[in-house]
Structure formats: C-alpha cells, structure tokens
Amino acid sequence: MPWLELEGAVNARDVGGLPTVDGAAIAERILLRADNLQGLTPADIKLLVDDIGLSTVVDLRSTHEVVSEGPGPLRAVEAVRHVHHSVLPEAGEATDVTADMLFARRQEALARYPEDPMCALYLGYLEDRPDSVVGALRSISEAEGAALVHCAAGKDRTGVVVALSLTVAGVHRDAVVADYAATGHRISAILTRLRASPTYAEDLARRPDDEEHRPREATMAAFLAQVDQRYGGVLEYLSAHGFGPAEADTLRARLLG
C-alpha cells in the first residue's frame, strides 16, 4: 500500500497500482485519498504539489465542517483547485464521525440495509446527494494533475467516492474492498487527530472505542453488492444521474494514465 508519509495527515495514500480486471493498473500520482488536511506542513505541501503534482482537492466534508475548521494550508497554494462536494444532507452540523447526527434519521437510514448501519449510511450518500457523488467523480476526471479526495477521517465518504471511481476504472472488486479496509491500519492515529479538533471531539466522545470506527471489508463488499442489486451497477447508477458512458470512459482513461 503506497502510503504518503505526511507530517500533518495520517491516512494519506496513492491508489496507484491497483489492478484492473483486464490486466492494467491504476496509474500512480493520479488519484490520492486522505483524511483531514488542516494540519499539513510546508514539507507536506511540497511533497504533494511539487513532487507528486497535486492540482485538485475534492473536499467531501459538510459545509459545517468546512466553516468550523477554516481554510487549510493548501488553500494558500494558487496552483491547487479546491472543489466542495458534500455527500451529507446540508442540514445541521453533520460530520462523518458523529454517533447521533450521522443517523439523525436513523430508522430511515437503517431501513436501507438493516444488516450493516455503515452500508446503510453509504447508500444514503447515493440517495441523498447524487449531485455531489457525480460532481466528485467529474472533478477527479477533469483534474490536470493528481486529484486528492478527502473528508475528515478519509474513511467513509472518501471510501465511497474512491470505491466508485476505482470501479468505473475496472479495478478488481477485491482490490477495491481491500483499499477501503486499509484505513483500518491507521484508525487510532486518525481518531487521535480528530479528537484534538473541536469540530469532531464531542462527536467522538460519544463513540470512544476505536474499534467501533474501524472499516470492515464486509461493509464495502455489501455496499457494492447493493449498488449492483438496486441500480444495476455503479455505471448504471452514475448514468442515471448524468454521468454517462462518455464521462465514464474519460474517468477510466484518466485513472489508467
């Protein structure tokens, strides 16, 4: 797993190298994923912008999170384009680490998939914010250099958008699932960072057990299976929301380099 060892983020990595079903692989330095970027140092920015060629940041946090956290260090870099695509309903003070607010409509959410609350949440992204899901993939496709997708933990919202992107590119499903679950290797460090932020500390205090936050392969496997069952697959879901075959081909070509 090509982790990016940053001083100010702990769940950053390049998905380059993941294998596709037709024997190709995702190109390196094209699609990056990460947790909160608020703590990036000058050395981190040099690595991302000068060495890797970062051109686009796809921010999946809610408007509340963006306002509460304030501008991060990368905002000062004119060469980097920032796009905001919240996959949560824009109401209240939702974040992706809360216990109660994540499932403010808990019964409705669980009705989507009672066997796994996190899978139910992920399906909610598709149902509640197809505009942002499509917008995020479109922003990755349009990036002139590397695109970096992030939220707060780099786990749930980022995990879904990256999984959809990799699926469009034809990555083996097992590899998509494994990439999602890899965040579990750094879950304690991720949560330590978030607990130091007033934006997330109170929410995480309600769920103090780190293991409760650890991503499970079964969750992503179930989510992708449900997308197949409910929508006919990722490509069909995206096409129904305006991201048709031509754009899917462009994204695929972009990710394969």
Side-chain angles (χ1 to χ4, degrees), residues 144-167:
E144 294 182 1
L148 186 154
V149 181
H150 84 99
C151 51
K155 175 172 71 77
D156 301 313
R157 294 172 286 188
T158 297
V160 166
V161 167
V162 170
L164 296 177
S165 301
L166 296 175
T167 300

Side-chain angles (χ1 to χ4, degrees), residues 17-253:
L18 293 180
T20 64
V21 295
D22 59 359
I26 299 298
E28 295 181 354
R29 302 187 176 197
I30 292 293
L31 180 57
L32 316 177
R33 54 180 297 167
D35 51 332
N36 201 338
L37 303 178
Q38 296 300 115
L40 294 184
T41 66
D44 295 335
I45 293 174
K46 179 183 183 303
L47 173 65
L48 291 170
V49 179
D50 296 340
D51 299 344
I52 294 178
L54 177 66
S55 71
T56 301
V57 171
V58 181
D59 187 346
L60 304 178
R61 296 175 300 167
S62 67
T63 298
H64 163 69
E65 290 168 274
V66 172
V67 172
S68 177
E69 292 282 276
L74 269 174
R75 282 283 181 179
V77 181
E78 294 184 2
V80 177
R81 174 178 177 241
H82 294 260
V83 290
H84 181 218
H85 297 293
S86 173
V87 295
L88 297 178
E90 288 290 296
E93 298 184 347
T95 78
D96 73 345
V97 299
T98 100
D100 298 328
M101 291 180 185
L102 258 182
F103 298 109
R105 295 174 292 168
R106 188 173 181 84
Q107 295 307 312
E108 178 183 345
L110 288 176
R112 297 186 183 110
Y113 193 73
E115 294 87 347
D116 187 328
M118 296 310 297
C119 178
L121 176 68
Y122 299 169
L123 292 168
Y125 300 162
L126 303 190
E127 294 176 13
D128 295 334
R129 297 304 305 268
D131 56 326
S132 288
V133 171
V134 166
L137 268 63
R138 191 168 285 143
S139 294
I140 294 168
S141 181
E142 294 172 349
E144 294 182 1
L148 186 154
V149 181
H150 84 99
C151 51
K155 175 172 71 77
D156 301 313
R157 294 172 286 188
T158 297
V160 166
V161 167
V162 170
L164 296 177
S165 301
L166 296 175
T167 300
V168 170
V171 171
H172 279 282
R173 181 157 295 189
D174 287 350
V176 175
V177 170
D179 174 68
Y180 163 80
T183 290
H185 295 300
R186 301 201 170 184
I187 195 66
S188 293
I190 294 166
L191 296 174
T192 295
R193 289 191 69 231
L194 293 177
R195 289 182 177 116
S197 167
T199 303
Y200 305 105
E202 182 177 350
D203 294 334
L204 285 169
R206 300 189 185 106
R207 301 173 68 196
D209 185 356
D210 287 5
E211 287 303 310
E212 187 178 347
H213 297 270
R214 187 179 300 279
R216 301 182 306 114
E217 290 189 355
T219 294
M220 180 53 66
F223 168 72
L224 293 172
Q226 285 296 305
V227 174
D228 290 343
Q229 180 177 323
R230 294 167 185 242
Y231 305 110
V234 169
L235 292 173
E236 288 75 11
Y237 166 83
L238 293 172
S239 182
H241 293 285
F243 193 88
E247 284 194 286
D249 288 345
T250 299
L251 176 59
R252 184 180 302 110

